[in-house]
């Protein structure tokens, strides 16, 4: 009753409670864990591993969620992987919200709250409205903007962007107007440019966040979303409103804020449009804006080069690993097209044990049975789920010929495998000759591997 009263006070009705499977965690230390251990026979270690309990010492533990309204967190397959709980207690020491910790199942950076529940609305509208939290999603849904999901905070990630690309390329961002929210929008645009996403921004009036705005005036909220503007318009207008364009300092501040963003625009026509717009607003020649864009691009290229050199020096760049992950992504996303080419792959060529295990499952998949990612997922151990999700959610929308891309990747993987084997055999032959041993067998293997192989 207390939880229902709280939801009612926030304007959340029974239809939304059902849509999002809202619940309640009793205000008791062992209510949930006693039920799961005693009645359902789960081991306490399992409950700890998925973040439902907190261990006090080697023999005792207690429920993580107590006295809270509960929001189940579902992944892109509709599986509950964690929870968010909003306290109903008046104790100021209690955190208002707590989430499941990072586990083998739940990763905040790979989650969009409401994506699964609202996926059909997102597909139907060919667009997604991104907000920050659960109590932004639900009021928006009730207000009639149902194609909504939350990034759960303000740290927008490339994994979340990849999730969205499976449903739509059109994103409307409505985050809090604080600095964290604005930085998240900037990061989203950086990611969007690499994934061909369109980013629009809602300019909120009559409420500090989407949840308040949607609750206070549902009709006004729908209009705000409808009138969202492209990010670049929002950015220029926002900078102009905060800095005085009639002073040298103001012009500099606006340019520092806006120019690096304009440099990200890959479409030359769109970039020209916004350069003209900014130049007029600042009473400057367009050449000066283009000059600053060139400077921003050179600075960015230098930073990328430094990072690449640093990665190589640290041994982080591994072409074989990258190719194997890419090949798995191709197979998972274009299985029906590529399945007839699978026999060409020898699992001995694969260096990653995890990828080899998933590929082995696909090798023995019934070719006459439809490929379902959820079925494959259930057949794999928990430790392979993150690898499967990463591969399945990689953005491959620009691939025009999956079969051709697969064969090209397979050829390079085979070449890397052969190169590695030749290097090992050469070392073995050298060591054997030092010991005065016969190396005919090793040399025959070396010749067999070398046949038809073109060194890189």
């Amino acid at each position: 009753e207390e939880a229902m009263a709280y939801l009612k006070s926030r304007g959340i009705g029974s239809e939304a409670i059902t849509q999002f499977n809202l619940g309640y965690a009793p205000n008791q230390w062992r209510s949930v864990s006693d039920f799961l251990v005693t009645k359902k026979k789960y081991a306490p270690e399992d409950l700890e591993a998925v973040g439902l309990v907190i261990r006090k010492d080697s023999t005792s533990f207690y429920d993580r969620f107590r006295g809270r309204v509960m929001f189940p967190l579902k992944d892109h397959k509709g599986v509950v992987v964690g929870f968010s709980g909003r306290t109903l207690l008046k104790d100021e020491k209690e955190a208002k919200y707590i989430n499941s910790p990072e586990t083998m199942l739940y990763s905040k950076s790979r989650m969009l709250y409401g994506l699964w529940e609202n996926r059909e609305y997102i597909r139907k509208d060919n667009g997604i409205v991104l907000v920050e939290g659960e109590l932004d999603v639900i009021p928006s849904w009730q207000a009639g903007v149902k194609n909504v999901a939350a990034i759960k905070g303000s740290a927008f990630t490339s994994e979340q962007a990849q999730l969205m690309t499976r449903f739509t390329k059109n994103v409307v961002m409505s985050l809090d107007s604080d600095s964290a929210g604005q930085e998240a929008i900037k990061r989203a645009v950086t990611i969007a440019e690499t994934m061909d996403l369109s980013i629009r921004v809602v300019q909120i009036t009559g409420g500090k966040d989407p949840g308040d705005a949607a609750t206070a005036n549902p009709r006004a909220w729908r209009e705000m979303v409808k009138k969202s503007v492209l990010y670049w318009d929002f950015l220029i207008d926002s900078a102009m409103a905060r800095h005085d364009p009639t002073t040298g300092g103001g012009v500099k501040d606006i340019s520092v804020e806006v120019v690096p963003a304009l440099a990200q625009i890959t479409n030359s026509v769109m970039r020209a449009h916004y350069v003209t717009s900014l130049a007029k607003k600042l009473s400057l020649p367009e050449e000066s804006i283009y000059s600053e864009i060139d400077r921003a691009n050179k600075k960015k290229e230098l930073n990328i080069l430094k990072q690449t050199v640093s990665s190589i020096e640290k041994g982080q760049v591994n072409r074989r690993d990258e190719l194997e992950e890419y090949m798995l992504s191709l197979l998972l996303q274009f299985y029906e097209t590529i399945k007839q080419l699978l026999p060409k792959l020898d699992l001995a060529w694969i260096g990653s044990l995890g990828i080899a295990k998933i590929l082995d499952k696909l090798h023995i998949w019934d070719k006459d049975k439809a490929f379902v990612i959820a079925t494959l997922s259930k057949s794999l151990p928990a430790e392979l789920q993150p690898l499967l999700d990463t591969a399945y959610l990689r953005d491959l929308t620009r691939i025009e010929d999956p079969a051709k891309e697969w064969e090209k990747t397979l050829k390079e993987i085979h070449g890397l495998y052969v190169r590695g084997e030749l290097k090992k055999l050469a070392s073995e032959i050298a060591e054997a000759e030092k010991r005065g041993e016969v190396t005919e067998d090793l040399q025959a293997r070396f010749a067999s591997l070398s046949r038809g192989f073109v060194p890189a």
Side-chain angles (χ1 to χ4, degrees), residues 32-96:
V32 174
S33 49
D34 278 349
F35 173 76
L36 291 173
V37 171
T38 306
K39 300 287 186 183
K40 295 295 182 179
K41 306 303 179 186
Y42 284 101
E45 292 75 20
D46 293 335
L47 304 189
E48 184 183 15
V50 296
L52 284 175
V53 303
I54 297 173
R55 185 169 291 282
K56 190 175 180 182
D57 52 44
S58 59
T59 58
S60 61
F61 50 87
Y62 57 91
D63 292 351
R64 180 180 297 276
F65 300 98
R66 305 179 310 281
R68 293 177 181 272
V69 173
M70 298 296 287
F71 302 84
L73 307 177
K74 297 182 180 181
D75 67 10
H76 58 283
K77 295 179 289 230
V79 177
V80 176
V81 293
F83 293 92
S84 181
R86 203 281 184 193
T87 186
L88 296 174
L89 306 177
K90 305 301 181 186
D91 186 354
E92 292 183 1
K93 294 179 182 177
E94 280 284 328
K96 187 179 286 187

Side-chain angles (χ1 to χ4, degrees), residues 76 114-124 167:
H76 58 283
L115 179 71
W116 172 259
E117 290 87 345
N118 298 336
R119 65 196 184 283
E120 294 308 323
Y121 298 112
I122 293 166
R123 284 195 178 107
K124 181 182 175 184
F167 299 89

Side-chain angles (χ1 to χ4, degrees), residues 351-368:
S352 165
L353 183 59
I355 290 176
K357 285 183 177 179
I358 297 174
L359 289 171
D360 188 42
K361 290 277 185 184
L362 292 166
H363 254 293
I364 59 174
W365 192 274
D366 185 347
K367 299 297 185 294
D368 296 324

Side-chain angles (χ1 to χ4, degrees), residues 327-345:
M327 184 178 68
L328 180 61
S329 295
L330 285 168
L331 183 56
L332 292 174
Q333 294 186 37
F334 303 106
Y335 179 80
E336 294 304 323
T337 303
I338 296 173
K339 64 183 180 182
Q340 71 272 15
L341 302 174
L342 252 179
K344 294 183 179 181
L345 169 66

Side-chain angles (χ1 to χ4, degrees), residues 248-274:
V251 169
K252 181 183 177 183
D253 289 340
I254 293 168
S255 130
V256 166
E257 212 168 294
V258 175
V259 167
L262 296 186
Q264 291 176 250
I265 303 177
T266 53
N267 185 294
S268 58
V269 175
M270 184 181 279
R271 183 190 291 184
H273 167 77
Y274 285 108

